[in-house]
Amino acid sequence: MDASGQLAEFLQVRRAQLRPQDVGLPTYGDRRRVPGLRREELAMLAGVSPSYYIRLEQGQSPNASPEVIDAIARALRLDDAEHDHLRDLAQAKRRRGGPRRPPVERISPEMTELLTALGDVPAMVTGRRTDALAWNRMGHALLLGHVDAEAPERPGERPSMARHVFLDPHTRELYVNWPAKARAVVENLRMIAGQHPDDAALAALIGELSMRSPEFAKLWADHRVRPCDTAQYQLRHPVVGALTVHQQTLNPVHSPGQSLIIVTATGDATSQAALTLLAQTVSATSGLSAGVDRRDREGRSAS
């Protein structure tokens, strides 16, 4: 996940996605050997020399100024998220040091309290590599009910949401419009990769998904970036059936690199009833499990 390579690929792909007519340049009916804009055309739009831009796109100019990066972003017609991503890639080139394995991610006491306070609102905390660091009972039951509920407590076994979306048939079946969910996961992961180019575990996850999922590899090559702030999904849940939910992703300042995912039902009665039924099912199952555990402890004590 080399920073220079990421910057070069991003510039090449996004330049290829712009047509001359999109930016007011004449085509004169010429047959173009490359899709999109030529390097010289983009350099002209950005107000930099063609030779400088070519070096930048080839990874040979590691010290591009913020003003140059902003000018290129405007020339490429990047939105705010894409502009920020371009800045991250350019800044990463100036940082030294190879890939490293960061410490194990842990949730803060404040995040734990928030999960508890949400009660029957499905919620989950994920880390920078989309690992599930914690969830409440409803978050587990709604999104990954077929996975061991205690998996987030074991760092080496934490389920990766990105891995489940692309490689787990149960999760794939959960989303009616799976392509939209898959695209959102990749766009968010691409943005995170630009922010943390030295994260060896993140690079390993991206490499694994690229090798094992042709769909992931195709979406990754598109270099689209977008944060997962809010989205609406239709689900086909194995326990409560069809429902439509809103997913909101918050990034608390006291837990950098972590995201709190909150899921609520949309305004239709069917979806609300489905979540209520799931909450009742989870409560009944939890009560039964608690009773079994208590009888088991009493039996061991008596012996």
Side-chain angles (χ1 to χ4, degrees):
M1 203 164 56
D2 173 72
S4 296
Q6 284 198 76
L7 177 61
E9 289 180 9
F10 182 75
L11 292 174
Q12 291 165 12
V13 170
R14 298 317 300 269
R15 176 171 57 82
Q17 293 170 347
L18 269 182
R19 300 174 301 171
Q21 54 267 40
D22 294 332
V23 293
L25 292 177
T27 62
Y28 303 110
D30 59 334
R31 299 181 61 184
R32 306 174 75 84
R33 291 177 295 178
V34 295
L37 296 182
R38 299 186 178 97
R39 289 169 174 169
E40 295 79 8
E41 291 171 331
L42 186 60
M44 179 190 68
L45 291 171
V48 300
S49 71
S51 60
Y52 180 83
Y53 178 78
I54 290 172
R55 291 197 303 274
L56 182 65
E57 196 172 280
Q58 292 176 341
Q60 298 173 4
S61 294
N63 297 310
S65 68
E67 292 77 14
V68 167
I69 294 301
D70 291 347
I72 292 174
R74 290 191 294 271
L76 288 172
R77 298 198 169 185
L78 303 183
D79 62 24
D80 290 343
E82 294 163 340
H83 194 159
D84 289 342
H85 179 64
L86 179 60
R87 288 196 192 102
D88 288 335
L89 297 180
Q91 291 169 0
K93 291 184 63 179
R94 292 193 286 268
R95 296 196 293 265
R96 301 300 180 188
R100 59 184 178 84
R101 186 167 293 274
V104 174
E105 294 182 280
R106 304 185 187 281
I107 67 170
S108 65
E110 295 85 356
M111 194 75 88
T112 301
E113 292 176 5
L114 185 53
L115 275 177
T116 302
L118 286 169
D120 286 341
V121 177
M124 172 188 299
V125 178
T126 59
R128 71 164 66 160
R129 294 175 290 276
T130 76
D131 291 341
L133 307 182
W135 48 38
N136 60 14
R137 293 185 304 176
M138 280 291 286
H140 169 247
L142 180 66
L143 299 175
L144 282 179
H146 61 292
V147 173
D148 183 0
E150 297 180 359
E153 300 173 16
R154 302 186 291 271
E157 301 176 29
R158 286 171 172 166
S160 159
M161 297 305 295
R163 186 179 287 113
H164 273 269
V165 166
F166 282 94
L167 304 180
D168 175 45
H170 297 282
T171 305
R172 187 170 186 138
E173 178 66 19
L174 177 65
Y175 293 92
V176 174
N177 188 356
W178 179 85
K181 177 62 178 179
R183 185 167 55 252
V185 168
V186 172
E187 290 174 348
N188 186 66
L189 196 61
R190 171 66 80 175
M191 183 184 66
I192 296 172
Q195 296 167 352
H196 305 282
D198 56 349
D199 189 321
L202 179 58
L205 172 65
I206 293 168
E208 175 194 356
L209 294 176
S210 298
M211 292 294 293
R212 298 180 61 187
S213 171
E215 294 107 329
F216 179 91
K218 181 178 180 180
L219 290 168
W220 187 255
D222 197 42
H223 282 265
R224 298 286 180 179
V225 295
R226 193 164 307 280
C228 290
D229 295 330
T230 181
Q232 180 172 298
Y233 295 111
Q234 290 180 294
L235 306 181
R236 50 169 82 90
H237 195 271
V239 175
V240 298
L243 70 160
T244 302
V245 298
H246 283 300
Q247 176 180 304
Q248 299 180 66
T249 302
L250 309 177
N251 302 107
V253 294
H254 57 72
S255 300
Q258 297 180 8
S259 299
L260 174 63
I261 300 171
I262 301 174
V263 183
T264 55
T266 56
D268 68 286
T270 300
S271 298
Q272 294 173 347
L275 271 192
T276 299
L277 176 58
L278 184 61
Q280 294 170 347
T281 302
V282 168
S283 179
T285 303
S286 299
L288 178 61
S289 298
V292 171
D293 291 343
R294 184 175 61 255
R295 289 194 298 272
D296 185 54
R297 290 193 300 271
E298 290 171 352
R300 289 197 299 270
S301 176
S303 62

